[in-house]
Amino acid sequence: MNLSLPALIERLHTFSGIAHKRDIQQVAKQLREAWPNPNPNGDDCALIPDGDGYKLLAMEGFINRFVADDPWFAGWCGVMVNLSDIAAMGGRPLAVVNALWDDALPHAEQILQGMAAASRAYQVPIVGGHTNLRSDQPQLAVAILGETRIPLSSFAVQSGQTLMVAINLQGRWHPPGYNWDAATEASPAALRQAWSLLPELAEAGLIHAAKDISQAGLTGTLVMMLESCGLGAELDLDQIPIPPDVTLEQWLCAFPSFGFLLAVEEEHREAVQQRFARCDIACAAVGRFTPHRKLDLHFRQQHACYWDLTQQSLTGMTC
């Protein structure tokens, strides 16, 4: 049966990860008015000048139900998703802190065990935080500090650059949601090698911008990237690397553990693909950035607009 692109787009728009990103609109205006920032909000990390380079600062909070139902994996993700933000900015991580609230020590211990396992695997220390074991429910937030000499930024994308996707397909679903676990059973050495790729590519001048694929899914994350740079894109869904036995709709909604959108000059495309291939990471050219502020999708001879930023914003974090 042929998959209808307009029907697919309609279902993707109702995906819960998109709704969560829409919530950011409520604070975007207040942030701009309260503290004008020469490095505007909307990137994966705050970019703070520091001598000849930059410090990177990011933070992630987690849905309470996820923390309550899957404490060890929530702890692991607390470290992993922050590392993803640092990598997306061309950075290397320095340290992690957390804020953990819980109603029972055994449950809190599982969260900390997951964080400790990720800390050891990625070789990033947990250096402090805040703990309260008298809360009425489990809650977790994790922050990370990193550094970079050559930052990548969604605001640096230019029209005409090639849109590439790099994703680790070697994983499995971690139910009940669309979490693709390509990390917890991987070799720690392989994990660290993969996470070093983006800062190495940035320093080599082979990529100019990146964004990690978040809970908004691949297409939702791309809309966020386009909001930052004030551009549009054409995305060929047929070119996206997908694991066996996973449907396109599932994959477009997935948080892939290791997954990034990249802005690359065409002459660097092959070199970028080769670098990821050495680490067994699938990397493909899937489209290009355009001056028109729309995300247009192409799929099996079908063409449709996924998002028109001239008509509606997603996060409201714009340049």
Side-chain angles (χ1 to χ4, degrees), residues 41-201:
N41 286 293
D43 246 331
D44 289 285
C45 299
L47 191 64
I48 305 167
D50 181 43
D52 294 333
Y54 298 87
K55 286 293 188 287
L56 298 169
L57 186 62
M59 184 176 185
E60 296 280 351
F62 295 85
I63 296 172
N64 290 342
R65 175 58 65 85
F66 172 51
V67 178
D69 292 349
D70 203 348
W72 188 94
F73 190 58
W76 176 284
C77 289
V79 175
M80 180 180 69
V81 300
N82 276 287
L83 293 177
S84 186
D85 286 337
I86 295 292
M89 297 287 292
R92 293 179 172 85
L94 295 174
V96 168
V97 296
N98 71 350
L100 171 61
W101 293 54
D102 215 318
D103 54 3
L105 179 59
H107 189 272
E109 286 178 333
Q110 293 180 62
I111 297 172
L112 292 172
Q113 287 166 4
M115 286 194 68
S119 174
R120 289 190 298 269
Y122 292 107
Q123 289 292 287
V124 180
I126 301 170
V127 298
H130 173 82
T131 303
N132 182 332
L133 297 180
R134 289 173 170 79
S135 174
D136 60 353
Q137 63 182 339
Q139 300 177 77
L140 176 66
V142 181
I144 190 167
L145 179 69
E147 61 183 0
T148 180
R149 290 192 305 106
I150 309 295
L152 301 172
S153 171
S154 296
F155 292 89
V157 181
Q158 297 180 20
S159 179
Q161 289 179 331
T162 298
L163 169 63
M164 301 188 74
V165 173
I167 310 182
N168 189 346
L169 305 182
Q170 302 175 76
R172 67 193 191 288
W173 289 117
H174 187 105
Y178 287 107
N179 290 308
W180 181 257
D181 182 3
T184 60
E185 294 185 359
S187 156
L191 290 175
R192 294 193 294 272
Q193 183 182 29
W195 289 106
S196 69
L197 280 172
L198 273 85
E200 290 174 358
L201 290 166

Side-chain angles (χ1 to χ4, degrees), residues 116-303:
S119 174
R120 289 190 298 269
Y122 292 107
Q123 289 292 287
V124 180
I126 301 170
V127 298
H130 173 82
T131 303
N132 182 332
L133 297 180
R134 289 173 170 79
S135 174
D136 60 353
Q137 63 182 339
Q139 300 177 77
L140 176 66
V142 181
I144 190 167
L145 179 69
E147 61 183 0
T148 180
R149 290 192 305 106
I150 309 295
L152 301 172
S153 171
S154 296
F155 292 89
V157 181
Q158 297 180 20
S159 179
Q161 289 179 331
T162 298
L163 169 63
M164 301 188 74
V165 173
I167 310 182
N168 189 346
L169 305 182
Q170 302 175 76
R172 67 193 191 288
W173 289 117
H174 187 105
Y178 287 107
N179 290 308
W180 181 257
D181 182 3
T184 60
E185 294 185 359
S187 156
L191 290 175
R192 294 193 294 272
Q193 183 182 29
W195 289 106
S196 69
L197 280 172
L198 273 85
E200 290 174 358
L201 290 166
E203 290 162 2
L206 295 177
I207 58 178
H208 300 276
K211 195 164 187 68
D212 76 302
I213 299 173
S214 70
Q215 296 288 351
L218 192 154
T219 46
T221 300
L222 181 52
V223 172
M224 294 165 63
M225 193 176 193
L226 298 177
E227 278 188 305
S228 296
C229 63
L231 297 174
E234 294 179 354
L235 173 63
D236 187 348
L237 300 182
D238 295 299
Q239 301 303 315
I240 297 173
I242 301 179
D245 303 320
V246 173
T247 69
L248 176 62
E249 182 173 344
Q250 289 173 326
W251 199 234
L252 292 177
C253 294
F255 170 71
S257 293
F258 184 98
F260 295 89
L261 304 173
L262 311 171
V264 181
E265 297 293 347
E266 180 61 24
E267 61 265 29
H268 297 319
R269 181 175 73 172
E270 185 175 348
V272 170
Q273 288 176 312
Q274 289 176 352
R275 292 282 191 101
F276 281 103
R278 291 173 198 161
C279 294
D280 295 321
I281 305 293
C283 182
V286 296
R288 66 185 183 92
F289 293 96
T290 70
H292 312 293
R293 299 186 65 231
K294 297 180 181 181
L295 173 53
D296 293 320
L297 304 185
H298 303 269
F299 178 69
R300 297 179 184 174
Q301 311 303 317
Q302 302 175 71
H303 312 280

